[in-house]
Amino acid sequence: MRFNRLRAANFRNFTLLESAFPEGAQFICGRNGQGKTNLLEALSLVTSLRSFRTSEIPALIRWESQPRECTLVYEIEHEQLGETVLEVRLRPGSKQVSMDGNPVRKLGDILGIFPTITFSSQDIQILRGSPGLRRRMMDLMFVVMDPRYYTVLTRYHQALKARNALLKQRGSAAQRRPFEDLLVREGWTLMEMRRRLLEVFNPHFQSAYSGISGVEEEPVLQYQPSVNADAAGAYEDVFVSQLRRDQESGTTNRGPHRDDLEFRLQEHGAREFASEGQQRGLVLALRMGMVGWYRQRGGTPPVILADDIVGELDAGRRQGFWRMLGGESQIIATGTVFPREDDFHNWIHWTMEEGRVSRDREESS
Amino acid sequence: MSSSFELLQQCLKRLPGLGYRSAERLALHLLVEQPGACEELMAVLAQARDSVHACPDCGNLCEGDVCEVCADGSRNRAILCVVETVTDLRAMERAGPYRGLYHVLQGKLSPIHGVGPEQLNLAGLSGRLDQLPVEEVILAVSNDIEGEATCHYIQEEILAGRGLRVSRIGFGLPSGGGIPFADATTLRSALEGRRNCD
């Protein structure tokens, strides 16, 4: 797919932003704080209606806007759907989407139809930060890789919320049981799906890493489930064994909502043992691996959004990075200097200043 | 503007489905545009409040001792259909083909909203199963986590050991709707709930 045009009203620092994307790779240049990342964030929202920077909708709405609401209108050229206009309206606590003027009733239905992959300099936090960031990353990737994932994930979280409420209310065992049965069933399904999808993804991750770093260092994304079980029965046993602790703390202590993922390099945890450069390489490989997964799947190639990413790489790696992205996807990138080292793509140069984008008159090829 | 007017508007706004603007419009309509309608509404409201109550047997709306469905001698007393709300019951009645009795739960289990078994009309259900010659129970409860948990609870705590036939209504494609218009979750339910062609 490719973006033809974006209009954003009251999104982040934009009162009104209108941006058209002609053929070619787009590079948006500008000093810090001009809204480059906000633009990419707006574009990336089409994929899973979630931001790569925050889980808070209010943060996406421009502060001064009254009523508190922002609108994003995307004109998209899509391989299967043709020219499509997607409108997303965000209010605190609600997301409304319409496709070619028809409201989309279930948001789960459009997840992954408009694929984008975002490379962000903040991605390093996925490796270094809290497990919650890694779970979120897994969920965002997996809803795209398997359409059933979203259903299982939402059902699991609904059952979890209900059970936690019952634990706090000190509800009886008979009251808890129906929710616990659902929680165990969906939790086990979710675990199996995560395990299986990671197996599918790891080869892509590994070949992306060796492509970026140029060496064979055997990186692995290792699933670290909160419940160690290899059968549904064993999973249930662990779940039941936690009951007293759960009752005391008034919350469910074990389950996929406490899962983690470890980046490993040469059989060591990358968080502690990998160098700065290796860590950057691993998170780049995470995104590049997704590009590879899409390529293998065929169908709609994702749009690649690269937010100020190459600044950290040396000239040779930068060139390698652009080349690995290939030519089939639309690329929209930002940075503080134009990518003169890249001779693979035909870049169109834009400058962003105070929330406005303008095309540069003289372009270097 | 008088404060009684504001009070009325605020009171109307508390009703389900009404926002600030609609409440204002209704208040103006009743007080200024059609004062006659206001008199009539007050009379009808008072009458309805005095005569309409929940059926002591099934929980349906009722004006006599029992509701029309429970009073209807031609209905099959061997089948009981469990629904969440009176709205659901009325929708089933409009559809027509069901000729058994109902039981209205007045909600579904929802710990997040503080709805537990005590808040639901479950004691009444046990009592009726003891009295009526019921052979089959149809659970027509919504297709979400809370609905599923409610069905599960009813099966475990109320129906277990009674030797009844228990079923849940099917979830699938709406009539007249083609496959391309169904969302993915509905299609999966439809596939899972498929039937043999006899």
mmCIF file of all heavy atoms in Angstrom, chain B residues 64-98:
data_model
loop_
_atom_site.group_PDB
_atom_site.id
_atom_site.type_symbol
_atom_site.label_atom_id
_atom_site.label_comp_id
_atom_site.label_asym_id
_atom_site.label_seq_id
_atom_site.Cartn_x
_atom_site.Cartn_y
_atom_site.Cartn_z
ATOM 1 N N GLY B 64 -51.030 -7.698 35.435
ATOM 2 C CA GLY B 64 -51.924 -8.447 36.330
ATOM 3 C C GLY B 64 -51.107 -9.213 37.354
ATOM 4 O O GLY B 64 -50.079 -8.732 37.826
ATOM 5 N N ASP B 65 -51.576 -10.425 37.663
ATOM 6 C CA ASP B 65 -50.835 -11.254 38.610
ATOM 7 C C ASP B 65 -49.573 -11.805 37.967
ATOM 8 O O ASP B 65 -48.505 -11.806 38.575
ATOM 9 C CB ASP B 65 -51.717 -12.419 39.091
ATOM 10 C CG ASP B 65 -52.870 -11.912 39.945
ATOM 11 O OD1 ASP B 65 -52.713 -10.795 40.503
ATOM 12 O OD2 ASP B 65 -53.903 -12.591 40.033
ATOM 13 N N VAL B 66 -49.747 -12.332 36.744
ATOM 14 C CA VAL B 66 -48.578 -12.797 35.985
ATOM 15 C C VAL B 66 -48.620 -12.190 34.592
ATOM 16 O O VAL B 66 -49.655 -11.664 34.175
ATOM 17 C CB VAL B 66 -48.538 -14.346 35.863
ATOM 18 C CG1 VAL B 66 -48.243 -14.999 37.199
ATOM 19 C CG2 VAL B 66 -49.834 -14.875 35.278
ATOM 20 N N CYS B 67 -47.514 -12.267 33.858
ATOM 21 C CA CYS B 67 -47.449 -11.628 32.543
ATOM 22 C C CYS B 67 -48.235 -12.431 31.507
ATOM 23 O O CYS B 67 -48.651 -13.560 31.760
ATOM 24 C CB CYS B 67 -46.005 -11.458 32.110
ATOM 25 S SG CYS B 67 -45.233 -13.001 31.592
ATOM 26 N N GLU B 68 -48.376 -11.839 30.313
ATOM 27 C CA GLU B 68 -49.175 -12.469 29.250
ATOM 28 C C GLU B 68 -48.605 -13.817 28.843
ATOM 29 O O GLU B 68 -49.334 -14.754 28.557
ATOM 30 C CB GLU B 68 -49.212 -11.551 28.024
ATOM 31 C CG GLU B 68 -50.160 -10.388 28.185
ATOM 32 C CD GLU B 68 -50.100 -9.447 26.993
ATOM 33 O OE1 GLU B 68 -49.389 -9.763 26.020
ATOM 34 O OE2 GLU B 68 -50.767 -8.403 27.053
ATOM 35 N N VAL B 69 -47.280 -13.890 28.796
ATOM 36 C CA VAL B 69 -46.658 -15.149 28.350
ATOM 37 C C VAL B 69 -46.932 -16.246 29.373
ATOM 38 O O VAL B 69 -47.366 -17.353 29.022
ATOM 39 C CB VAL B 69 -45.140 -14.984 28.132
ATOM 40 C CG1 VAL B 69 -44.495 -16.298 27.724
ATOM 41 C CG2 VAL B 69 -44.868 -13.909 27.102
ATOM 42 N N CYS B 70 -46.705 -15.935 30.645
ATOM 43 C CA CYS B 70 -46.913 -16.946 31.693
ATOM 44 C C CYS B 70 -48.385 -17.347 31.788
ATOM 45 O O CYS B 70 -48.718 -18.488 32.106
ATOM 46 C CB CYS B 70 -46.436 -16.432 33.046
ATOM 47 S SG CYS B 70 -44.653 -16.254 33.130
ATOM 48 N N ALA B 71 -49.299 -16.373 31.515
ATOM 49 C CA ALA B 71 -50.726 -16.646 31.644
ATOM 50 C C ALA B 71 -51.263 -17.442 30.462
ATOM 51 O O ALA B 71 -52.319 -18.076 30.563
ATOM 52 C CB ALA B 71 -51.487 -15.327 31.777
ATOM 53 N N ASP B 72 -50.539 -17.423 29.346
ATOM 54 C CA ASP B 72 -51.017 -18.055 28.108
ATOM 55 C C ASP B 72 -50.932 -19.584 28.233
ATOM 56 O O ASP B 72 -49.855 -20.166 28.214
ATOM 57 C CB ASP B 72 -50.153 -17.556 26.948
ATOM 58 C CG ASP B 72 -50.655 -18.083 25.613
ATOM 59 O OD1 ASP B 72 -51.483 -19.011 25.612
ATOM 60 O OD2 ASP B 72 -50.207 -17.558 24.576
ATOM 61 N N GLY B 73 -52.103 -20.220 28.334
ATOM 62 C CA GLY B 73 -52.159 -21.672 28.554
ATOM 63 C C GLY B 73 -51.664 -22.478 27.370
ATOM 64 O O GLY B 73 -51.319 -23.652 27.499
ATOM 65 N N SER B 74 -51.596 -21.829 26.175
ATOM 66 C CA SER B 74 -51.187 -22.583 24.990
ATOM 67 C C SER B 74 -49.666 -22.692 24.873
ATOM 68 O O SER B 74 -49.154 -23.348 23.987
ATOM 69 C CB SER B 74 -51.741 -21.903 23.736
ATOM 70 O OG SER B 74 -51.040 -20.699 23.502
ATOM 71 N N ARG B 75 -48.944 -22.038 25.760
ATOM 72 C CA ARG B 75 -47.482 -22.068 25.614
ATOM 73 C C ARG B 75 -46.909 -23.332 26.236
ATOM 74 O O ARG B 75 -47.424 -23.849 27.220
ATOM 75 C CB ARG B 75 -46.853 -20.823 26.222
ATOM 76 C CG ARG B 75 -47.412 -19.571 25.523
ATOM 77 C CD ARG B 75 -46.592 -18.364 25.644
ATOM 78 N NE ARG B 75 -45.288 -18.397 25.042
ATOM 79 C CZ ARG B 75 -44.836 -17.458 24.205
ATOM 80 N NH1 ARG B 75 -45.622 -16.484 23.804
ATOM 81 N NH2 ARG B 75 -43.621 -17.503 23.769
ATOM 82 N N ASN B 76 -45.809 -23.776 25.612
ATOM 83 C CA ASN B 76 -45.174 -25.032 26.002
ATOM 84 C C ASN B 76 -44.381 -24.835 27.299
ATOM 85 O O ASN B 76 -43.360 -24.150 27.309
ATOM 86 C CB ASN B 76 -44.256 -25.476 24.854
ATOM 87 C CG ASN B 76 -43.619 -26.812 25.132
ATOM 88 O OD1 ASN B 76 -43.722 -27.332 26.246
ATOM 89 N ND2 ASN B 76 -42.982 -27.366 24.113
ATOM 90 N N ARG B 77 -44.832 -25.463 28.364
ATOM 91 C CA ARG B 77 -44.193 -25.283 29.653
ATOM 92 C C ARG B 77 -42.985 -26.190 29.863
ATOM 93 O O ARG B 77 -42.384 -26.218 30.934
ATOM 94 C CB ARG B 77 -45.220 -25.518 30.774
ATOM 95 C CG ARG B 77 -45.899 -24.233 31.159
ATOM 96 C CD ARG B 77 -47.322 -24.364 31.561
ATOM 97 N NE ARG B 77 -48.063 -23.242 30.997
ATOM 98 C CZ ARG B 77 -48.104 -22.032 31.570
ATOM 99 N NH1 ARG B 77 -47.526 -21.807 32.694
ATOM 100 N NH2 ARG B 77 -48.751 -21.047 30.980
ATOM 101 N N ALA B 78 -42.638 -26.939 28.833
ATOM 102 C CA ALA B 78 -41.477 -27.830 28.950
ATOM 103 C C ALA B 78 -40.193 -27.144 28.479
ATOM 104 O O ALA B 78 -39.105 -27.670 28.654
ATOM 105 C CB ALA B 78 -41.722 -29.110 28.159
ATOM 106 N N ILE B 79 -40.329 -25.978 27.849
ATOM 107 C CA ILE B 79 -39.131 -25.262 27.375
ATOM 108 C C ILE B 79 -39.049 -23.902 28.055
ATOM 109 O O ILE B 79 -40.026 -23.161 28.113
ATOM 110 C CB ILE B 79 -39.156 -25.010 25.848
ATOM 111 C CG1 ILE B 79 -39.566 -26.266 25.099
ATOM 112 C CG2 ILE B 79 -37.792 -24.556 25.359
ATOM 113 C CD1 ILE B 79 -39.629 -26.040 23.606
ATOM 114 N N LEU B 80 -37.845 -23.586 28.532
ATOM 115 C CA LEU B 80 -37.642 -22.305 29.198
ATOM 116 C C LEU B 80 -36.469 -21.599 28.517
ATOM 117 O O LEU B 80 -35.391 -22.172 28.361
ATOM 118 C CB LEU B 80 -37.310 -22.553 30.672
ATOM 119 C CG LEU B 80 -37.350 -21.342 31.585
ATOM 120 C CD1 LEU B 80 -38.776 -20.828 31.720
ATOM 121 C CD2 LEU B 80 -36.802 -21.702 32.955
ATOM 122 N N CYS B 81 -36.716 -20.361 28.090
ATOM 123 C CA CYS B 81 -35.655 -19.612 27.422
ATOM 124 C C CYS B 81 -35.159 -18.518 28.370
ATOM 125 O O CYS B 81 -35.928 -17.666 28.809
ATOM 126 C CB CYS B 81 -36.211 -18.998 26.140
ATOM 127 S SG CYS B 81 -35.046 -17.971 25.265
ATOM 128 N N VAL B 82 -33.867 -18.554 28.686
ATOM 129 C CA VAL B 82 -33.298 -17.592 29.634
ATOM 130 C C VAL B 82 -32.721 -16.406 28.854
ATOM 131 O O VAL B 82 -31.865 -16.592 27.990
ATOM 132 C CB VAL B 82 -32.195 -18.257 30.485
ATOM 133 C CG1 VAL B 82 -31.558 -17.249 31.422
ATOM 134 C CG2 VAL B 82 -32.772 -19.426 31.276
ATOM 135 N N VAL B 83 -33.218 -15.193 29.131
ATOM 136 C CA VAL B 83 -32.723 -13.990 28.449
ATOM 137 C C VAL B 83 -32.219 -12.994 29.489
ATOM 138 O O VAL B 83 -32.530 -13.114 30.665
ATOM 139 C CB VAL B 83 -33.806 -13.325 27.570
ATOM 140 C CG1 VAL B 83 -34.193 -14.211 26.405
ATOM 141 C CG2 VAL B 83 -35.026 -12.957 28.403
ATOM 142 N N GLU B 84 -31.424 -12.002 29.000
ATOM 143 C CA GLU B 84 -30.868 -11.028 29.943
ATOM 144 C C GLU B 84 -31.889 -9.985 30.362
ATOM 145 O O GLU B 84 -31.991 -9.634 31.531
ATOM 146 C CB GLU B 84 -29.663 -10.311 29.314
ATOM 147 C CG GLU B 84 -28.404 -11.141 29.313
ATOM 148 C CD GLU B 84 -27.295 -10.479 28.525
ATOM 149 O OE1 GLU B 84 -27.236 -9.232 28.500
ATOM 150 O OE2 GLU B 84 -26.501 -11.213 27.916
ATOM 151 N N THR B 85 -32.595 -9.430 29.383
ATOM 152 C CA THR B 85 -33.455 -8.277 29.678
ATOM 153 C C THR B 85 -34.838 -8.444 29.055
ATOM 154 O O THR B 85 -35.035 -9.299 28.177
ATOM 155 C CB THR B 85 -32.854 -6.986 29.088
ATOM 156 O OG1 THR B 85 -32.769 -7.159 27.672
ATOM 157 C CG2 THR B 85 -31.482 -6.688 29.662
ATOM 158 N N VAL B 86 -35.756 -7.589 29.504
ATOM 159 C CA VAL B 86 -37.092 -7.569 28.913
ATOM 160 C C VAL B 86 -37.006 -7.194 27.430
ATOM 161 O O VAL B 86 -37.745 -7.705 26.596
ATOM 162 C CB VAL B 86 -38.001 -6.587 29.685
ATOM 163 C CG1 VAL B 86 -39.325 -6.397 28.987
ATOM 164 C CG2 VAL B 86 -38.206 -7.078 31.108
ATOM 165 N N THR B 87 -36.054 -6.325 27.104
ATOM 166 C CA THR B 87 -35.851 -5.945 25.705
ATOM 167 C C THR B 87 -35.566 -7.182 24.851
ATOM 168 O O THR B 87 -36.099 -7.339 23.745
ATOM 169 C CB THR B 87 -34.658 -4.977 25.578
ATOM 170 O OG1 THR B 87 -34.708 -4.062 26.656
ATOM 171 C CG2 THR B 87 -34.681 -4.241 24.264
ATOM 172 N N ASP B 88 -34.718 -8.076 25.381
ATOM 173 C CA ASP B 88 -34.393 -9.304 24.654
ATOM 174 C C ASP B 88 -35.644 -10.166 24.481
ATOM 175 O O ASP B 88 -35.896 -10.728 23.414
ATOM 176 C CB ASP B 88 -33.327 -10.126 25.407
ATOM 177 C CG ASP B 88 -31.997 -9.391 25.498
ATOM 178 O OD1 ASP B 88 -31.836 -8.398 24.768
ATOM 179 O OD2 ASP B 88 -31.142 -9.805 26.304
ATOM 180 N N LEU B 89 -36.420 -10.260 25.555
ATOM 181 C CA LEU B 89 -37.638 -11.072 25.510
ATOM 182 C C LEU B 89 -38.587 -10.542 24.441
ATOM 183 O O LEU B 89 -39.137 -11.298 23.634
ATOM 184 C CB LEU B 89 -38.312 -11.045 26.877
ATOM 185 C CG LEU B 89 -39.572 -11.894 27.087
ATOM 186 C CD1 LEU B 89 -39.693 -12.272 28.564
ATOM 187 C CD2 LEU B 89 -40.853 -11.196 26.650
ATOM 188 N N ARG B 90 -38.744 -9.228 24.421
ATOM 189 C CA ARG B 90 -39.668 -8.639 23.446
ATOM 190 C C ARG B 90 -39.194 -8.874 22.022
ATOM 191 O O ARG B 90 -39.996 -9.096 21.116
ATOM 192 C CB ARG B 90 -39.859 -7.154 23.736
ATOM 193 C CG ARG B 90 -40.632 -6.915 25.042
ATOM 194 C CD ARG B 90 -40.503 -5.485 25.501
ATOM 195 N NE ARG B 90 -41.280 -4.553 24.696
ATOM 196 C CZ ARG B 90 -42.535 -4.200 24.957
ATOM 197 N NH1 ARG B 90 -43.152 -4.706 25.994
ATOM 198 N NH2 ARG B 90 -43.169 -3.349 24.183
ATOM 199 N N ALA B 91 -37.848 -8.813 21.838
ATOM 200 C CA ALA B 91 -37.301 -9.072 20.504
ATOM 201 C C ALA B 91 -37.595 -10.512 20.092
ATOM 202 O O ALA B 91 -37.995 -10.787 18.946
ATOM 203 C CB ALA B 91 -35.791 -8.816 20.495
ATOM 204 N N MET B 92 -37.435 -11.455 21.026
ATOM 205 C CA MET B 92 -37.720 -12.865 20.737
ATOM 206 C C MET B 92 -39.199 -13.044 20.400
ATOM 207 O O MET B 92 -39.558 -13.802 19.506
ATOM 208 C CB MET B 92 -37.388 -13.744 21.951
ATOM 209 C CG MET B 92 -35.923 -13.812 22.319
ATOM 210 S SD MET B 92 -34.974 -14.878 21.242
ATOM 211 C CE MET B 92 -35.432 -16.476 21.889
ATOM 212 N N GLU B 93 -40.065 -12.340 21.126
ATOM 213 C CA GLU B 93 -41.497 -12.451 20.880
ATOM 214 C C GLU B 93 -41.877 -11.912 19.504
ATOM 215 O O GLU B 93 -42.680 -12.500 18.800
ATOM 216 C CB GLU B 93 -42.289 -11.699 21.960
ATOM 217 C CG GLU B 93 -42.470 -12.491 23.231
ATOM 218 C CD GLU B 93 -43.224 -13.810 22.981
ATOM 219 O OE1 GLU B 93 -44.448 -13.772 22.823
ATOM 220 O OE2 GLU B 93 -42.566 -14.869 22.939
ATOM 221 N N ARG B 94 -41.229 -10.797 19.139
ATOM 222 C CA ARG B 94 -41.511 -10.227 17.814
ATOM 223 C C ARG B 94 -41.109 -11.198 16.722
ATOM 224 O O ARG B 94 -41.758 -11.299 15.692
ATOM 225 C CB ARG B 94 -40.761 -8.904 17.626
ATOM 226 C CG ARG B 94 -41.494 -7.702 18.198
ATOM 227 C CD ARG B 94 -40.931 -6.412 17.628
ATOM 228 N NE ARG B 94 -39.535 -6.201 17.970
ATOM 229 C CZ ARG B 94 -39.129 -5.676 19.127
ATOM 230 N NH1 ARG B 94 -40.022 -5.322 20.037
ATOM 231 N NH2 ARG B 94 -37.864 -5.518 19.375
ATOM 232 N N ALA B 95 -40.016 -11.935 16.970
ATOM 233 C CA ALA B 95 -39.549 -12.894 15.973
ATOM 234 C C ALA B 95 -40.570 -14.007 15.781
ATOM 235 O O ALA B 95 -40.690 -14.563 14.684
ATOM 236 C CB ALA B 95 -38.203 -13.479 16.392
ATOM 237 N N GLY B 96 -41.308 -14.352 16.851
ATOM 238 C CA GLY B 96 -42.465 -15.226 16.642
ATOM 239 C C GLY B 96 -42.367 -16.706 16.942
ATOM 240 O O GLY B 96 -43.216 -17.223 17.646
ATOM 241 N N PRO B 97 -41.356 -17.432 16.431
ATOM 242 C CA PRO B 97 -41.488 -18.899 16.426
ATOM 243 C C PRO B 97 -41.410 -19.535 17.804
ATOM 244 O O PRO B 97 -41.808 -20.675 17.962
ATOM 245 C CB PRO B 97 -40.296 -19.365 15.588
ATOM 246 C CG PRO B 97 -39.297 -18.292 15.745
ATOM 247 C CD PRO B 97 -40.067 -17.029 15.877
ATOM 248 N N TYR B 98 -40.915 -18.824 18.803
ATOM 249 C CA TYR B 98 -40.712 -19.466 20.101
ATOM 250 C C TYR B 98 -42.042 -19.499 20.865
ATOM 251 O O TYR B 98 -42.687 -18.474 21.059
ATOM 252 C CB TYR B 98 -39.644 -18.705 20.896
ATOM 253 C CG TYR B 98 -39.397 -19.310 22.259
ATOM 254 C CD1 TYR B 98 -38.779 -20.560 22.368
ATOM 255 C CD2 TYR B 98 -39.796 -18.664 23.415
ATOM 256 C CE1 TYR B 98 -38.567 -21.136 23.610
ATOM 257 C CE2 TYR B 98 -39.583 -19.226 24.661
ATOM 258 C CZ TYR B 98 -38.975 -20.466 24.753
ATOM 259 O OH TYR B 98 -38.771 -21.039 25.972
#
